[in-house]
Amino acid sequence: MRLSLDTLVRQIGSLPTLPTVLQRVIELVNNPKTSAIQLARIILDDQALTARLLRLVNSPFYGFPRRISTVTEAVTILGFHAVRNLLVTASVVDLLQGEETAEFSPTRLWEHSIATAVGAGLLARFSRSEDREEAFVAGLLHDVGKLVVYQVYPAEWLRSLSTARRDDVPLSVAELRVLGFTHDQVGRLLTEHWKLPVRLSEAIACHHRPDNAQTARKEAAVVHIADIFSRALVLGSGGDDSVPPASEAAWSRLGLAEDVLDSLMIEMEEQYEQARGAILGATQAARAEATANAA
Amino acid sequence: MARMAVEKLTAGMQLRKAVFNMNGVLLLREGERLTAKHVTVLKTWGVHEVDICQEEGAAEATSTVSPAILRQIEQETGRRFRHAALASTPHMGMIARAAGRRLAARLQAQEPAESPAKREAR
């Protein structure tokens, strides 16, 4: 069967779905009539999600000045959008996983995505964007399309990677040859399916071509440059190891210059370690404890 | 400032920053002199790197990058930026130089035996 984006769309039911509680949270956050109590009650129904939210919100990476000990506090102090973004952050890594192989490592892709998220947050701050958390989540989700393709069409995904390596072409060129579509298109499909905000979806869809963005041009520029920084600094791996060219318009839009790059990159490396600990740390600690108990 | 991989820590080194586990619980305080037991605790909690105070002599020793590391970084940069039109786009040159300085600092300070290519392959 020849693949196309249409075949993937027809298989929309096979795309990974968010936990029901999180779907409900997204619906409630999208509805302006929702109250803080309603939102908190839905989250509290799920003990595991509640625990994850509180652990993440109190991790050194988020570093809120005081400890947040209840969901109601989180909703009222941080706001609806921040809580939704934290819940997506806490859930998505477990949801989109796959077999670790010599050719492709989902863990290394998540490390790359966490570095891009941290970079996007810093670039949003640098360019005085209003919503840094949204930039963080857009960075975290920018490559989810790769994991979806790996889950739904694993053989074709690995062939895209090997084609990029063998022919020394950018991954997007190899994807078009093998799959007939690219991971940024799949990212848009998935985030729209999940009913995440349109600007977030567009930033993800346009992270390789930020000048094509219609409504979220700055957000797309932030994720585009953060992805390039993350690759240049070798933080995690996007599956291929080359650094793509940065759009000059995106570079100018963010007001970047050579004299700020060193401090931005040092901060990105430091925050990356903390964010990796906060987001991937739970799984790693569980493994370390299992090893210690076995010894 | 020196970030150091937990595998490379030795007893007697001093923490520049406190270390927390992923639940935000304090594992070791800022200024603590490390013992072998401390290093085991960090490994058990899955901590990968910590900030170590640089002794004056060590700071001087790492303040200049060795020619071998510079050559390695140049080769890596040329390889990694091969699709990035470095020659014709000034902003890509800026990114490559800044990232190169960070990779050199990492190689010099914390990973003398591990190249970015090896890190990538992990």
Side-chain angles (χ1 to χ4, degrees), chain A residues 99-153:
Chain A
E99 192 189 346
E100 300 277 334
T101 66
E103 295 82 27
F104 182 62
S105 159
T107 304
R108 300 282 290 144
L109 181 69
W110 277 120
E111 288 176 343
H112 162 69
S113 302
I114 290 168
T116 306
V118 160
L122 288 169
L123 288 169
R125 186 187 73 187
F126 176 78
S127 61
R128 301 179 194 284
S129 281
E130 284 167 21
D131 204 336
R132 289 181 216 161
E133 282 155 17
E134 199 121 304
F136 182 93
V137 174
L140 186 70
L141 299 182
H142 79 287
D143 270 350
V144 285
K146 291 179 180 175
L147 290 162
V148 170
V149 178
Y150 187 44
Q151 283 189 356
V152 182
Y153 305 120

Side-chain angles (χ1 to χ4, degrees), chain A residues 52 55 88-98 110 151 279-280 282-283:
Chain A
R52 278 176 173 223
R55 192 165 55 217
V88 170
T89 301
S91 309
V92 77
V93 177
D94 274 352
L95 189 67
L96 288 166
Q97 280 293 346
W110 277 120
Q151 283 189 356
I279 298 169
L280 297 182
T283 338

